[in-house]
Amino acid sequence: MADSTPTEAEAACFEAGIKFGSLYHQFAGTPLSLESAASLETAIEESIENQPHCAGVTVEIQREELEAELAESSADYTELTGRFLEVEIVVDYEGREVVTRMAMEDGYPLMKLESVRDTT
Amino acid sequence: MADSTPTEAEAACFEAGIKFGSLYHQFAGTPLSLESAASLETAIEESIENQPHCAGVTVEIQREELEAELAESSADYTELTGRFLEVEIVVDYEGREVVTRMAMEDGYPLMKLESVRDTT
Amino acid sequence: MADSTPTEAEAACFEAGIKFGSLYHQFAGTPLSLESAASLETAIEESIENQPHCAGVTVEIQREELEAELAESSADYTELTGRFLEVEIVVDYEGREVVTRMAMEDGYPLMKLESVRDTT
Amino acid sequence: MADSTPTEAEAACFEAGIKFGSLYHQFAGTPLSLESAASLETAIEESIENQPHCAGVTVEIQREELEAELAESSADYTELTGRFLEVEIVVDYEGREVVTRMAMEDGYPLMKLESVRDTT
């Protein structure tokens, strides 16, 4: 029977997933306008970077998507959702560096594991 | 039978309540440290100010409370909760100005309606 | 100078607003399918009914809207948002009964104060 | 230079992490009492099971912890937080089964990767 104990690299990937799920479900639904987008980006980055093993978070709220949605609407704000988000998160766990990214794919905000490297 | 149609002042108070409930339940649970407190304050203020009839939001994350909690903990961050929050929200609805405040009272984050004024 | 002390009825309306903001921003973003809609309705109702002065919460996730959205999508679930929600909340505060409702209006989830009655 | 392309097992662990982060940050802060605990457990399980590759979610809100907290409080409800949660999530991704668990450890809600197995 094969050993089922997780490797360091697998644990690093688990940690990266936690950050993504946290980021999305903490902040989805936040009232969002062109004026408030920059402060929300910064707050999301700095809050998620507090989490253990988180080496860096970059959040880019897509201004063109946001402008397009607001142009069609009678309101001057909307809610943060995956459609407006591009995110990169780098996790460093016991010498394993994991790079992950979220962006829209086929109308669905896809979270992707990009690379796993041993940096020891 | 008495008329049950809400007055402008009552509608203004309803709007103020919406902002408070939104603010608290959108952001409670956000990972929080001394380093990230300032950016979170700004993002909360600017995002809730997007909501209709919201004339001003002031958020003060209580640094002493936060320091005290982190000093007792093995982690270097915690989660945003009512214990760390002082908030003032001013709503202006059809010429009625409502001032509301949240602060701790007996260990519970109390949201209070402070004043309702006709500014027409 | 006019007195700006809130009336009981105004405080009741403030409480009703808090419940609405809480409900929406706590649960918006929850993964949602036709199978999980019923349990989410019940959990939203029972959790918000815990809040002070809350006499009753009725949540109806709009199955037709949900089916229509899922039919257009490659995924078999979506996220809870205002488009799928009809909500009624009744607050009873110091003998004032406030009835509030949320439903879509012009593509925006509108929260409305319906009636304020003195039941003393 | 080593290949940094993620393995299937690593991708499975990333997916498991996403579910955990989502679960926690979607539902932390929900108003919670002994009466509403059961419906919240069911709603959390069924909503997270909607997410891709999620083979099973078990949520147990710790009634004893909850009773103890409410006994010390003047309120008859509190907010859902890690202190009250025991969670198991099983992910099945391309024939890799990942078992993960969350429980309190040293006063902090620890999310742990328990096992990763090849079931092909």
Side-chain angles (χ1 to χ4, degrees), chain B residues 98-112:
Chain B
V98 175
V99 178
T100 57
R101 216 175 289 279
M102 184 174 94
M104 291 305 284
E105 209 153 295
D106 302 324
Y108 180 82
L110 199 67
M111 303 179 185
K112 260 205 245 178

Side-chain angles (χ1 to χ4, degrees), chain A:
Chain A
M1 189 185 149
D3 186 8
S4 67
T5 308
T7 64
E8 301 283 29
E10 288 164 355
C13 294
F14 179 62
E15 289 294 327
I18 291 174
K19 274 71 186 161
F20 252 109
S22 299
L23 186 157
Y24 193 76
H25 287 272
Q26 182 62 57
F27 294 103
T30 301
L32 174 67
S33 63
L34 287 164
E35 291 69 34
S36 69
S39 65
L40 186 56
E41 287 171 337
T42 306
I44 296 176
E45 291 172 351
E46 295 191 3
S47 68
I48 299 298
E49 283 172 354
N50 286 320
Q51 294 193 328
H53 317 297
C54 195
V57 179
T58 312
V59 174
E60 290 180 2
I61 294 175
Q62 304 300 295
R63 303 302 198 280
E64 285 182 27
E65 277 288 326
L66 182 54
E67 265 186 272
E69 167 140 338
L70 293 175
E72 279 178 30
S73 163
S74 60
D76 51 2
Y77 76 104
T78 184
E79 296 173 12
L80 182 66
T81 184
R83 197 163 63 257
F84 304 124
L85 277 174
E86 281 192 22
V87 178
E88 187 189 85
I89 300 179
V90 180
V91 159
D92 196 329
Y93 178 88
E94 305 288 332
R96 271 66 182 183
E97 188 195 73
V98 175
V99 178
T100 57
R101 215 175 289 279
M102 184 173 91
M104 291 305 284
E105 210 153 295
D106 301 324
Y108 180 83
L110 199 66
M111 304 179 185
K112 259 204 246 180
L113 188 57
E114 297 235 314
S115 64
V116 183
R117 290 191 316 126
D118 188 336
T119 60
T120 53

Side-chain angles (χ1 to χ4, degrees), chain C residues 62-83:
Chain C
Q62 304 300 295
R63 303 302 198 279
E64 284 182 27
E65 276 290 326
L66 182 53
E67 264 185 274
E69 167 141 338
L70 293 175
E72 278 179 29
S73 162
S74 59
D76 51 2
Y77 76 104
T78 185
E79 295 173 14
L80 182 67
T81 184
R83 198 161 63 255

Side-chain angles (χ1 to χ4, degrees), chain C residues 31-43:
Chain C
L32 174 66
S33 63
L34 287 164
E35 290 71 33
S36 69
S39 64
L40 186 56
E41 287 170 337
T42 306

Side-chain angles (χ1 to χ4, degrees), chain D residues 57-119:
Chain D
V57 178
T58 312
V59 174
E60 290 180 2
I61 294 175
Q62 305 299 296
R63 303 302 198 279
E64 285 182 27
E65 277 288 326
L66 182 53
E67 265 185 273
E69 166 140 340
L70 293 175
E72 280 178 28
S73 162
S74 60
D76 51 2
Y77 76 103
T78 184
E79 294 173 14
L80 182 66
T81 184
R83 198 162 63 257
F84 303 124
L85 276 175
E86 281 191 23
V87 178
E88 187 189 85
I89 300 180
V90 180
V91 158
D92 195 328
Y93 178 86
E94 305 288 330
R96 271 66 182 182
E97 188 196 74
V98 175
V99 179
T100 57
R101 216 175 289 278
M102 184 174 92
M104 291 305 284
E105 209 153 295
D106 302 323
Y108 181 82
L110 199 67
M111 303 179 184
K112 257 204 247 180
L113 189 55
E114 296 236 316
S115 65
V116 182
R117 291 191 315 127
D118 187 336
T119 60

Side-chain angles (χ1 to χ4, degrees), chain C residues 17-29:
Chain C
I18 292 174
K19 274 70 185 162
F20 252 109
S22 299
L23 186 156
Y24 193 76
H25 286 272
Q26 182 62 57
F27 293 103

